[in-house]
Amino acid sequence: MNSFERPITPGFLLRFTLPSMAMMLFNSFYTMVDGGFVSNFVNTDALSAINIVFPLINLVLAASIMIASGGSAVTARQMGEQEPQLARESFSLLTAFAAALGVAIAVLTVLFADPLVRLLGATDALYGYCREYLVFVSLFTPCCMLQILFQFFFVTAGKPNFGLAATLLGGVTNIVLDYVFIVPLGMGIRGAAVATGLGQTVPTVIGLCYFFSRRNPLLYYTRPVLRGRVLAFTCLNGSSEMVSNLAVAITTFLFNLIMLSYLGEDGVAAITIVFYAQFFFTAIFFGYTSGVAPLISYHFGANDRDRLKRLVRLSLLFVAVCSLAAYGLSVVLSRAVVGVFTPAGTAVFDIASDGMKLFAIGFLFMGFNIFASGLFTALSNGLVSAVLAFLRTFVFLIAAIWLLPLLFGVPGVWFAIPAAELLALAVSLACIFRFRSRYHYL
């Protein structure tokens, strides 16, 4: 039986979305391992440098997720509408587009690395680390983009477990090479960048081989047909994810500037550690949303209202339970997580462990906001999804970053994300109830 046609039960939903959640969790774990190797075997200035250049890396992630999330919703809906060949042509076109865009971004980043690093606010102490990491990690931009694309499309093809296996293999490659390049070979931050890039290359090669082999009856490569409307709709539909990641790039830049002004390089290192923890604890929400999105798109395309309602109701319950768990675990494990990157008793440890307890309040709200935005993307309403993402990750957050530190000092920096997420939750709930009669998901 086609997995999209199976009864919507809690057990099925967890089995179907678990590989996507695991992929996101492992990706976050690998990112934390990168940071741990750099912090412990290079120094905390190198860790700060990674966060300084992260806004540029996030631009690549923004473009990748826009194509992947918007495109997977388009192809899943086409499959639900019984247009399999059209879905394959769209998938083939999007892969070629992502690869070409990745090459262009890599070339431009390497050519303009020096002014870009200065523009991001690198101090003299961090400049060398920033430039070295940016140049070498940028060489693998096409693989980074295709890896993310395949993570989404393995789910759309009904093979989430295969995508999970590819992600695991890439992550293990990353961890092993982190150790080899940084510790015995002494390559420093350059070794971390190359290890990351090669870790992305492994699932990219696996994805290309799998879809070119035509082993999957639902989705495989065919001759791409250039349809401007498909590309435009993909970008529009995935614009919320694009907006979210662009906003993360901007707000990370602002957080870095504020922490530099208040606490110097130690402050940047501390907020880098907390951001690593955020990636890990929110991975469950992003993973579940990306995993359930093809099911929502498919049943929306098939006009199966009963299954759509059950999907959304079970999803909201799941998000509520995980939000409480994420908050509790982030508070209980805060010192242990920070200790992975820096030893207890250091200034960075004290700043990060105190800040994480305040920062963690945002986990109570952000799961609902992530799911709400992903829901409207899956329903091919990119406009509402983009508005939710723009308000949550840009308008509300920038206002909080600007205002709260003025009122409360350093604690205000940590409260910025919880405050923005709470405001975004009110808007997300309003939109969910406002459009329930149009989409019949409640």
Side-chain angles (χ1 to χ4, degrees), residues 8-22:
I8 305 300
T9 64
F12 163 73
L13 199 54
L14 285 176
R15 288 193 302 272
F16 191 87
T17 58
L18 186 60
S20 295
M21 289 187 282

Side-chain angles (χ1 to χ4, degrees), residues 405-419:
L406 293 177
L407 297 176
F408 305 109
V410 173
V413 179
W414 301 117
F415 274 123
I417 283 184

Side-chain angles (χ1 to χ4, degrees), residues 5 51 56 74 95 168 177 194 201 249 265 276 285 307 332 336 426 429-430:
E5 298 291 347
N51 203 46
L56 281 181
V74 169
T95 302
L168 284 173
L177 293 180
V194 175
T201 302
E265 281 85 4
Y276 277 138
F285 301 122
R307 290 192 176 194
V332 171
L429 292 176

Side-chain angles (χ1 to χ4, degrees), residues 334-387:
S334 60
R335 294 179 64 84
V337 171
V338 175
V340 171
F341 299 91
T342 187
T346 63
V348 174
F349 181 93
D350 292 337
I351 297 168
S353 57
D354 291 342
M356 188 182 293
K357 295 172 184 176
L358 303 176
F359 187 94
I361 298 171
F363 295 142
L364 294 170
F365 317 121
M366 65 178 61
F368 291 99
N369 297 325
I370 291 167
F371 176 73
S373 180
L375 171 65
F376 287 105
T377 297
L379 295 170
S380 295
N381 192 331
L383 178 60
V384 172
S385 183
V387 169

Side-chain angles (χ1 to χ4, degrees), residues 63-189:
S64 307
I65 294 175
M66 175 188 70
I67 298 168
S69 62
S72 63
V74 169
T75 54
R77 191 185 67 183
Q78 290 169 342
M79 290 160 60
E81 293 170 343
Q82 306 304 312
E83 293 283 356
Q85 182 60 24
L86 182 61
R88 293 168 194 140
E89 291 173 357
S90 297
F91 171 50
S92 303
L93 173 63
L94 293 171
T95 302
F97 177 65
L101 183 60
V103 171
I105 293 174
V107 171
L108 291 174
T109 303
V110 172
L111 288 177
F112 296 100
D114 291 318
L116 287 172
V117 167
R118 288 299 186 190
L119 183 65
L120 290 170
T123 62
D124 291 338
L126 301 179
Y127 175 82
Y129 289 127
C130 290
R131 188 188 185 284
E132 188 172 18
Y133 187 82
L134 179 62
V135 167
F136 281 92
V137 84
S138 296
L139 297 175
F140 297 92
T141 299
C143 292
C144 175
M145 298 190 71
L146 289 177
Q147 175 203 22
I148 293 173
L149 188 81
F150 292 139
Q151 285 180 353
F152 279 77
F153 276 97
F154 273 125
V155 179
T156 306
K159 294 295 182 181
N161 288 319
F162 198 89
L164 173 60
T167 299
L168 284 173
L169 187 57
V172 170
T173 301
N174 186 359
I175 292 173
V176 171
L177 293 180
D178 266 331
Y179 172 77
V180 172
F181 291 159
I182 296 175
V183 183
L185 295 183
M187 294 174 62
I189 198 170

Side-chain angles (χ1 to χ4, degrees), residues 280-313:
F280 186 80
F281 286 120
T282 58
I284 192 75
F285 301 122
F286 286 110
Y288 179 83
T289 300
S290 64
V292 78
L295 288 171
I296 293 173
S297 298
Y298 184 90
H299 292 302
F300 173 63
N303 198 30
D304 192 334
R305 295 180 179 180
D306 290 338
R307 290 192 176 194
L308 187 59
K309 286 180 181 179
R310 187 155 177 79
L311 274 172
V312 173
R313 289 172 180 173

